Amino acid sequence: MDDRDNPDGITDDTFDGRDATIFLVDASAPMFEKTSPSVDNIEAEPTIDDCPFTLAIRCAFNTLKNKIFTAPYDSVAIVLFGTKKKKPNEKYGVYSNTYLLQDLQKPDCDPILQLDEMLNKDGGIDEYVYAVDQQSISLADALWLCSSIFSKHKSKKDNKKIFLFTNNDEPHSKFSNKQKQAEKRIGDLQDGNVSIFLFPIGEAFDTSKVYQELLMSNEYGSILSGSMTADELLSKICRKGQKKRPVANLVFNVDSNTKFGVKLYNLIRPAPTPKRMQLDKRTNEIVKSVTTKFNAETAETLLPSELMKSTIVSGEKVRLDKNDLTSLKSKFAVGFTLLGFKPIEKLKFHLYLSPASFIYPDEDLVKGSRVLFGVLMDRCQVRGFAPLCILKCTAATKPRIVALLPNAEQDPEQPSVFGFHVIYLPFLNDVRKFNYGDLVGSTLVLKDERKYVPEVWRADRGQIDAAVAIVKKLSSKTSYTPAQFEDPALHTKWKTLEGLALGREDVESVDDLALPDCDCIDRRLGQRSTIFNDLVFPLGYQSRNFQASILTPRDPQHEATVEDAARNGWLDKMKVDILKGYLSNQGVHGVSKMKKAECIQNIKLHLNLK
């Protein structure tokens, strides 16, 4: 684990904790109307995704499946309003044309199977069809039920969210009593720190009719743009459900008297595979491992206070106890310590060490941090300088030298991000010298008639042009996005676990998008690859990766020795490399993975010996 991912770091209480999300789905008449085919494709049959209600349920279904792996301690509920489905609820009371499909609970197999049956069973959504009397639909009653669910939820510190799905931009008139009741309920929810996110379905959704005025005081929530497909809705749900947790809240020390607070974020981190748990094969219970340290000479158990660490300095072993290590780590203050400034063009970003982080001012840690942070960022952008700092995330982590690069990206589709990118600079030991001669080869050339100097083989102009032509032809016209390439091994494991948990016989296969499309590459290159090979590789050239067994000539003396040892019964006294070499020369496959016992057995089988 990287130092910046240390779980002992200080986290932000505002975004910490779990999420409690309610999917509030409109089940009125417009939600069951399938969109008509486009003019360009009139003959196309409407699919199940054309029903907005099905789109919303499918989003809840996929969210539950994802949360089992990504956030198993979050809670999810599904509430329908405007439906004819009725069921007495003693826990929360009865609300008109409002139905609690699933109570607020952690993601599990039963709610997922219930939604799966709704989506795939014939007539699975018929019993939830809209109410007969459209005028009886009340958004206020649905929000009241959501408020009751949150109030009786066990964990009071969860981040409460409501995802409202509808394609009806005018559920009631703008100045009606229902409008006033809905405003009252939304105000009560916002007083309880509940965020409301509106997910309109359909591009013609007009938010100015009702919802813009209803959610105008929505401090933490928002109104999203209209969506037509399940992929668009899932992408927006993923962005709104992402936990914006800082790695640490740190102090930025400008000098001994001036400081301000910042939040440190990791924008990119790898998706880890689930940890393995050791189980007892008899009881299937989790096995707990306990480590006990003892003295090898006396066999006495050692206490933590008796343990010491050592390091080699000038060839001598220096012992350090716990207090010594603590004093060494406390030499640098936790947080950012400003060292100076350096022109941005002088920084060597090609010396990539680790993914960059991001800092944002923390007004709660130090009052006035946003003003000082903004002034520093503005001056750095105007003058083209980057602050150099010492970064120490926690008391236990080692200090790092970092450069703060002001964010200059201006995406017209995204709001401007206010902050610095934290670029981790390498120490001297982190930069390795690259020997090109070891990679491409070299020739000893006599220099000044005194000594021979290796001269690296370099490509001529024709070889370079041939390589450039290949690179240009295979370069993608679109920018590279890591999200486009998913880990097939990780997704296969998730799909297998999902199939076992849901009792499915067929497991959905996962395509490896990182594999090259050889046919497409051949079509693009044409004769360019042949021209490159003819210019770079001479006739009869063989790669270093060529099988060693083919390139290595046979040694008759070794072969005779191995056969003689096999007949006399002392093969176990020979080295395993000699045994593997004999099998390779005899054409046996898979020799590199064989152990010594397997080599002996294969030699006996080859010589028809018992």
Side-chain angles (χ1 to χ4, degrees):
M1 179 180 292
D2 193 272
D3 290 336
R4 298 175 292 115
D5 296 333
N6 195 321
D8 297 333
I10 305 172
T11 56
D12 186 7
D13 294 333
T14 305
F15 295 98
D16 202 358
R18 304 158 185 166
D19 287 346
T21 306
I22 296 179
F23 282 78
L24 184 58
V25 182
D26 185 4
S28 59
M31 289 288 287
F32 291 87
E33 297 176 358
K34 294 185 177 181
T35 57
S36 58
S38 61
V39 179
D40 298 333
N41 194 11
I42 300 178
E43 298 180 357
E45 296 182 359
T47 61
I48 191 171
D49 286 341
D50 292 330
C51 175
F53 181 80
T54 307
L55 277 177
I57 297 300
R58 191 178 299 279
C59 290
F61 172 72
N62 285 281
T63 302
L64 281 171
K65 290 199 305 180
N66 294 333
K67 279 188 176 292
I68 284 185
F69 304 122
T70 59
Y73 298 104
D74 288 356
S75 302
V76 179
I78 302 176
V79 175
L80 309 180
F81 70 97
T83 178
K84 69 178 182 180
K85 182 76 173 180
K86 296 181 180 179
K87 182 180 179 182
N89 194 320
E90 299 178 356
K91 184 177 181 180
Y92 303 115
V94 179
Y95 302 88
S96 60
N97 300 118
T98 303
Y99 178 70
L100 179 61
L101 181 62
Q102 291 182 4
D103 201 355
L104 199 61
Q105 57 185 327
K106 295 178 182 179
D108 201 358
C109 293
D110 294 337
I112 293 177
L113 289 174
Q114 179 185 4
L115 297 182
D116 186 42
E117 185 178 0
M118 283 181 59
L119 294 170
N120 298 323
K121 182 181 177 181
D122 293 337
I125 63 175
D126 291 344
E127 57 180 318
Y128 304 98
V129 178
Y130 57 91
V132 177
D133 186 8
Q134 184 72 13
Q135 299 298 326
S136 62
I137 299 175
S138 174
L139 180 61
D141 289 344
L143 295 173
W144 199 345
L145 176 58
C146 295
S147 178
S148 301
I149 294 173
F150 284 136
S151 62
K152 294 187 179 182
H153 186 47
K154 293 181 180 179
S155 180
K156 302 300 181 182
K157 294 185 178 181
D158 285 3
N159 303 317
K160 305 179 184 67
K161 301 178 183 179
I162 296 177
F163 291 168
L164 175 58
F165 294 84
T166 181
N167 69 339
N168 186 6
D169 53 10
E170 194 174 8
H172 43 69
S173 58
K174 194 169 186 178
F175 301 102
S176 62
N177 292 330
K178 291 185 178 181
Q179 172 85 353
K180 297 178 181 179
Q181 294 174 0
E183 291 178 355
K184 175 63 176 176
R185 297 299 166 220
I186 291 176
D188 294 341
L189 288 169
Q190 291 177 354
D191 292 340
N193 297 325
V194 178
S195 304
I196 303 176
F197 297 94
L198 174 63
F199 291 84
I201 302 177
E203 297 178 351
F205 195 96
D206 187 3
T207 58
S208 61
K209 290 183 179 180
V210 172
Y211 286 102
Q212 189 171 355
E213 186 173 347
L214 277 176
L215 302 176
M216 62 184 302
S217 61
N218 193 10
E219 182 177 358
Y220 298 106
S222 61
I223 300 177
L224 287 83
S225 58
S227 304
M228 295 295 293
T229 62
D231 292 338
E232 294 179 5
L233 287 172
L234 286 173
S235 177
K236 295 174 182 178
I237 291 173
C238 182
R239 291 200 299 267
K240 294 302 176 184
Q242 185 71 27
K243 295 181 176 63
K244 303 176 180 63
R245 297 179 182 176
V247 176
N249 292 356
L250 303 172
V251 174
F252 194 109
N253 299 291
V254 179
D255 54 28
S256 58
N257 298 323
T258 307
K259 62 181 181 180
F260 56 88
V262 295
K263 298 178 181 179
L264 180 68
Y265 294 89
N266 282 345
L267 302 182
I268 296 177
R269 62 177 304 172
T273 56
K275 296 182 179 179
R276 295 181 179 180
M277 292 188 298
Q278 296 180 350
L279 303 177
D280 189 345
K281 63 180 181 181
R282 295 168 297 181
T283 61
N284 205 31
E285 295 180 354
I286 299 177
V287 178
K288 296 181 179 180
S289 60
V290 179
T291 303
T292 303
K293 298 182 179 180
F294 60 92
N295 191 336
E297 297 178 357
T298 62
E300 294 181 357
T301 304
L302 297 176
L303 299 175
S305 58
E306 297 175 339
L307 299 176
M308 299 186 69
K309 295 185 179 181
S310 64
T311 184
I312 304 298
V313 179
S314 298
E316 295 185 3
K317 182 180 292 186
V318 180
R319 295 183 178 181
L320 300 171
D321 58 11
K322 186 177 181 181
N323 296 330
D324 295 333
L325 294 174
T326 303
S327 63
L328 288 175
K329 293 179 179 179
S330 61
K331 294 298 180 182
F332 296 91
V334 177
F336 288 86
T337 303
L338 182 63
L339 297 178
F341 297 88
K342 191 171 185 177
I344 295 178
E345 62 270 10
K346 298 294 184 181
L347 295 175
K348 299 178 181 179
F349 294 111
H350 62 277
L351 297 177
Y352 178 84
L353 190 64
S354 62
S357 300
F358 192 82
I359 57 173
Y360 187 82
D362 187 1
E363 195 73 19
D364 297 333
L365 188 61
V366 179
K367 294 298 181 182
S369 297
R370 190 175 183 85
V371 177
L372 286 174
F373 189 93
V375 172
L376 177 63
M377 182 175 175
D378 178 68
R379 291 297 87 195
C380 290
Q381 284 182 331
V382 172
R383 299 188 179 184
F385 277 81
L388 297 182
C389 306
I390 295 178
L391 171 59
K392 203 167 185 292
C393 292
T394 63
T397 57
K398 60 183 179 181
R400 302 296 300 272
I401 304 296
V402 298
L404 304 183
L405 184 65
N407 182 47
E409 296 181 2
Q410 297 294 335
D411 190 350
E413 299 181 358
Q414 298 291 339
S416 58
V417 182
F418 177 69
F420 281 99
H421 293 283
V422 182
I423 311 297
Y424 293 86
L425 302 180
F427 290 104
L428 181 61
N429 295 335
D430 295 326
V431 181
R432 296 175 294 176
K433 294 183 179 179
F434 189 76
N435 191 354
Y436 292 95
D438 295 340
L439 180 65
V440 301
S442 60
T443 305
L444 293 177
V445 179
L446 184 62
K447 186 176 182 181
D448 298 333
E449 299 182 355
R450 294 181 180 179
K451 60 179 180 179
Y452 286 92
V453 178
E455 182 179 349
V456 178
W457 297 341
R458 299 187 180 277
D460 56 27
R461 188 71 256 172
Q463 295 171 343
I464 294 175
D465 293 340
V468 170
I470 291 178
V471 173
K472 286 184 177 180
K473 202 63 181 178
L474 296 182
S475 298
S476 176
K477 296 181 180 179
T478 59
S479 59
Y480 166 73
T481 304
Q484 296 177 350
F485 302 92
E486 299 175 342
D487 187 356
L490 184 61
H491 279 268
T492 301
K493 176 172 283 189
W494 290 135
K495 294 295 183 182
T496 304
L497 293 176
E498 178 185 322
L500 291 174
L502 299 180
R504 296 175 178 174
E505 296 181 357
D506 299 331
V507 179
E508 183 180 352
S509 61
V510 178
D511 296 331
D512 189 355
L513 301 178
L515 293 177
D517 189 350
C518 298
D519 295 335
C520 179
I521 292 174
D522 293 339
R523 288 196 303 270
R524 283 191 175 188
L525 290 181
Q527 298 296 323
R528 293 178 180 85
S529 59
T530 305
I531 296 173
F532 177 80
N533 289 332
D534 294 340
L535 291 173
V536 175
F537 302 110
L539 185 63
Y541 172 82
Q542 290 180 339
S543 173
R544 295 182 182 180
N545 297 327
F546 201 65
Q547 294 184 4
S549 60
I550 299 178
L551 296 178
T552 304
R554 297 189 178 186
D555 191 342
Q557 184 178 359
H558 276 183
E559 291 188 6
T561 305
V562 171
E563 294 175 359
D564 186 49
R567 294 187 178 90
N568 294 325
W570 41 275
L571 278 175
D572 54 341
K573 296 182 180 181
M574 301 190 69
K575 293 183 179 181
V576 67
D577 294 337
I578 297 176
L579 301 179
K580 288 184 177 181
Y582 175 82
L583 291 174
S584 298
N585 292 334
Q586 301 302 321
V588 179
H589 298 287
V591 178
S592 60
K593 298 182 180 180
M594 290 184 184
K595 296 182 180 180
K596 189 173 184 178
E598 296 174 341
C599 293
I600 294 174
Q601 184 179 1
N602 281 280
I603 291 174
K604 290 181 178 180
L605 291 175
H606 178 71
L607 298 175
N608 296 324
L609 299 176
K610 294 182 179 180

